[in-house]
Amino acid sequence: MTGLFGGAFNPPHFGHLELARRAVEEFELERLVVLVSGDPAHKRVECPVEVRVELARLAFAELPAAEVRADPYRYTIDLLRAERPADAIFVMGADQYRDFHTWKEPGAVLELVQLGVATRSGVAPPPVPAEHEGRVRFFEIESP
């Protein structure tokens, strides 16, 4: 299985690394593609994508399964439609999952990939709407 981990990574931080490490472990990922958004739809960034990609490469260097690259698509659904990843899980934090309903075509995203949602130890996972049943898998990460 391939994991997809998208974001602005402005900058990458310990939480990103812990999420990535635990996702590889939890889902037995052969590889984790870290997708650094060039023009993120939900966040304003000042730092150029090339700099954020290099920072992410350095941050994820000790995770052998990680491959870091720029994501040229503004929306996740556009990336998924263009690249059609087989047997993939898109990993994110619970905070992002709480806002998932605001993403462009969230139902279409769930048709193409499962979601792996990281929750912090001791914090209850967010509710899963009926239309997401069977497509969302939670896993726990340690709080720093």
Side-chain angles (χ1 to χ4, degrees):
M1 177 179 282
T2 297
L4 305 172
F5 184 21
F9 299 102
N10 189 40
H13 55 71
F14 178 78
H16 294 135
L17 300 175
E18 178 64 6
L19 189 153
R21 185 190 67 73
R22 282 289 298 126
V24 168
E25 185 178 275
E26 178 74 21
F27 303 117
E28 299 177 351
L29 300 177
E30 296 171 24
R31 65 185 200 139
L32 177 69
V33 182
V34 178
L35 299 159
V36 180
S37 179
D39 183 21
H42 288 92
K43 184 181 255 186
R44 187 166 173 230
V45 294
E46 300 291 329
C47 191
V49 68
E50 299 82 11
V51 173
R52 291 181 287 118
V53 166
E54 189 55 33
L55 289 172
R57 281 195 179 112
L58 293 169
F60 291 96
E62 292 187 25
L63 187 62
E67 301 171 17
V68 177
R69 69 178 175 94
D71 177 0
Y73 301 95
R74 185 162 171 78
Y75 300 100
T76 299
I77 189 59
D78 297 332
L79 169 89
L80 296 175
R81 285 185 175 137
E83 298 191 9
R84 297 285 182 177
D87 193 28
I89 187 164
F90 194 95
V91 297
M92 65 178 66
D95 57 334
Q96 287 296 311
Y97 181 64
R98 284 186 184 90
D99 294 334
F100 183 66
H101 69 279
T102 68
W103 288 25
K104 180 181 176 184
E105 300 181 56
V109 169
L110 288 172
E111 289 175 12
L112 296 171
V113 292
Q114 295 180 61
L115 298 182
V117 179
T119 60
R120 295 197 183 276
S121 57
V123 178
V128 177
E131 63 271 18
H132 296 186
E133 287 292 334
R135 301 299 295 165
V136 179
R137 298 167 62 184
F138 291 101
F139 64 104
E140 194 171 284
I141 61 173
E142 289 297 319
S143 297

